[in-house]
């Protein structure tokens, strides 16, 4: 029997509804959650992401600001915008869209964001809080979304062999930090694989939960899957497809058709992890706003 689909679109919709309810409660008490997104340069893919983030916030009744800066913006100017947003009382979440155009450098920008407004969860303070298990920090949106996909589709994480392919700061590393916590929706036994892993299949075949974020179309094939595993595909690769009107289509890192025959649950691409990222961004922004509201009481 082919694997059940983990439907990211409907789970994200459910979370967005919960977030909108929480936002409405905050608004009633006088705080409208506000998200500022900073976009530097003209990258079309980034522009699409930024637009959908703004739209999702507005749909949830939140305040949303997009700051578009030219590609020639200097590092100092960009830091000045971040400083302004740090002290803007209407803004509770700040996101600087990555990647930044060269020669801008991301680390100092991430560190300049007030950690209480760092809804992307990339500031070292929040990275540290995640690792030590302090719950008042922010977890990066993609791994937080994957945890929700697993929990809400009934995948038991406690005690499970969780194998993560990829060790980026955006997905792989925070995913590992999240799943090893002594917490609800965690307590996994975690293995992290990367480019230097000697035998990838040896590890993936042990996985009850396999999370793939390597950016390589077709990296994971059916013979690398333990029968009955839950498979989360974070990949978003464009491959040429002359039959598609756009000339390309999106595929994940997992060979969906064959892996679906072996796994018990699997995320599609698109429609799996992707929609969760924005839902978790909104959830983080509402949490940030709630924390500011509590601090002001
Ligand atoms: P993402 O943003 O999805 O995490 P990145 O491109 O930042 O993607 O990171 C890709 C990660 O995937 C790196 O940690 C790299 O080591 C890992 N990776 C790439 N190719 C392979 C491979 N063939 N086998 C195992 N890991 C790989």
């Amino acid at each position: 029997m082919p694997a059940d689909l983990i439907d990211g679109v409907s789970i994200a919709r459910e979370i967005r509804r919960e977030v909108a309810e929480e936002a409405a409660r905050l608004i009633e008490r006088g705080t409208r959650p506000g998200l500022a997104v900073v976009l530097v340069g003209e990258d079309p893919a980034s522009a699409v992401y930024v637009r959908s983030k703004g739209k999702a916030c507005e749909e949830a009744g939140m305040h949303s600001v997009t700051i578009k800066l030219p590609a020639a913006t200097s590092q100092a100017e960009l830091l000045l915008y971040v400083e302004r947003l740090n002290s803007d009382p209407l803004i509770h979440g700040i996101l600087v869209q990555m990647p930044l155009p060269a020669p801008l450098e991301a680390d100092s920008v991430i560190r300049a964001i007030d950690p209480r407004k760092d809804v992307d969860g990339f500031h070292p303070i929040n990275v540290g809080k995640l690792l030590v298990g302090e719950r008042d920090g922010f977890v990066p949106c993609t791994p937080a979304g994957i945890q929700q996909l697993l929990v809400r589709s009934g995948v038991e994480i406690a005690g499970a062999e969780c194998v993560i392919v990829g060790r980026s700061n955006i997905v792989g590393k925070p995913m590992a930090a999240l799943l090893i916590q002594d917490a609800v929706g965690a307590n996994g036994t975690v293995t992290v694989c990367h480019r230097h892993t000697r035998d990838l299949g040896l590890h993936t075949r042990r996985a009850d939960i396999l999370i793939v974020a390597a950016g390589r179309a077709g990296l994971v094939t059916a013979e690398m899957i333990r029968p009955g595993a839950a498979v989360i595909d974070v990949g978003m690769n464009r491959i040429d497809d002359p039959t598609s009107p756009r000339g390309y289509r999106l595929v994940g890192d997992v060979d969906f058709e064959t892996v679906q025959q072996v796994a018990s649950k699997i995320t599609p691409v698109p429609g799996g992890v992707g929609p969760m990222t924005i839902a978790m961004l909104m959830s983080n922004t509402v949490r940030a706003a709630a924390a500011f509201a509590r601090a002001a009481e």
Side-chain angles (χ1 to χ4, degrees):
M1 222 176 42
D4 292 336
L5 283 188
I6 298 179
D7 183 354
V9 175
S10 78
I11 295 175
R13 197 182 299 129
E14 191 177 296
I15 291 174
R16 281 161 65 158
R17 201 178 45 239
E18 293 165 12
V19 167
E21 283 167 15
E22 187 59 33
R25 276 194 288 277
L26 281 167
I27 291 166
E28 230 167 70
R29 300 206 306 266
T31 303
R32 181 182 293 274
L35 173 71
V37 180
V38 181
L39 174 63
V40 189
E42 307 285 336
D43 180 54
S46 294
V48 171
Y49 289 139
V50 166
R51 258 199 309 280
S52 41
K53 286 167 186 171
K55 211 174 120 233
C57 281
E58 281 155 22
E59 276 169 20
M62 294 157 63
H63 171 57
S64 144
V65 181
T66 304
I67 296 168
K68 287 192 186 143
L69 301 174
T73 303
S74 71
Q75 190 83 22
E77 278 173 304
L78 179 54
L79 291 174
L80 205 64
Y81 276 98
V82 171
E83 281 307 323
R84 266 186 224 153
L85 294 169
N86 280 343
S87 49
D88 184 339
L90 298 181
I91 297 300
H92 309 100
I94 303 171
L95 179 156
V96 179
Q97 183 66 43
M98 303 294 168
L100 292 170
L104 292 175
E105 170 277 310
D107 281 352
S108 67
V109 178
I110 291 169
R111 282 165 195 264
I113 297 172
D114 183 334
R116 296 170 303 173
K117 298 191 177 188
D118 169 41
V119 286
D120 249 346
F122 296 152
H123 191 291
I125 290 271
N126 285 315
V127 176
K129 285 189 175 194
L130 168 60
L131 197 60
V132 296
E134 275 181 39
R135 309 279 170 81
D136 67 341
F138 294 104
V139 179
C141 299
T142 301
I146 292 169
Q147 186 184 40
Q148 288 301 314
L149 284 178
L150 292 169
V151 169
R152 292 179 189 237
S153 48
V155 177
E156 179 68 36
I157 302 171
E161 294 287 334
C162 304
V163 176
I164 301 166
V165 183
R167 54 152 171 208
S168 72
N169 288 333
I170 302 169
V171 187
K173 280 188 209 164
M175 189 79 249
L178 197 53
L179 295 181
I180 54 172
Q181 293 306 314
D182 183 354
V184 176
N187 286 315
T189 302
V190 177
T191 303
V192 182
C193 305
H194 47 76
R195 263 189 205 95
H196 297 268
T197 298
R198 217 177 305 134
D199 184 349
L200 187 59
L202 183 78
H203 298 283
T204 61
R205 270 189 291 276
R206 289 183 13 253
D208 301 310
I209 298 172
L210 177 63
I211 299 168
V212 191
R216 298 276 179 281
L219 177 67
V220 171
T221 50
E223 66 279 7
M224 295 166 75
I225 304 293
R226 173 178 178 154
V231 178
I232 306 286
D233 190 351
V234 190
M236 280 271 240
N237 310 292
R238 279 185 181 195
I239 59 163
D240 291 340
D241 181 2
T243 65
S244 147
R246 292 177 296 189
Y248 67 87
R249 66 192 163 94
L250 283 181
V251 298
D253 293 349
V254 173
D255 183 40
F256 185 87
E257 269 71 36
T258 59
V259 169
Q260 196 187 19
Q261 303 307 318
V262 187
S264 69
K265 289 187 162 70
I266 187 167
T267 57
V269 176
V273 175
M276 295 298 290
T277 304
I278 291 184
M280 299 319 292
L281 174 68
M282 294 165 64
S283 165
N284 279 350
T285 304
V286 166
R287 278 191 48 227
F292 274 100
R294 268 197 309 278
E297 270 166 13

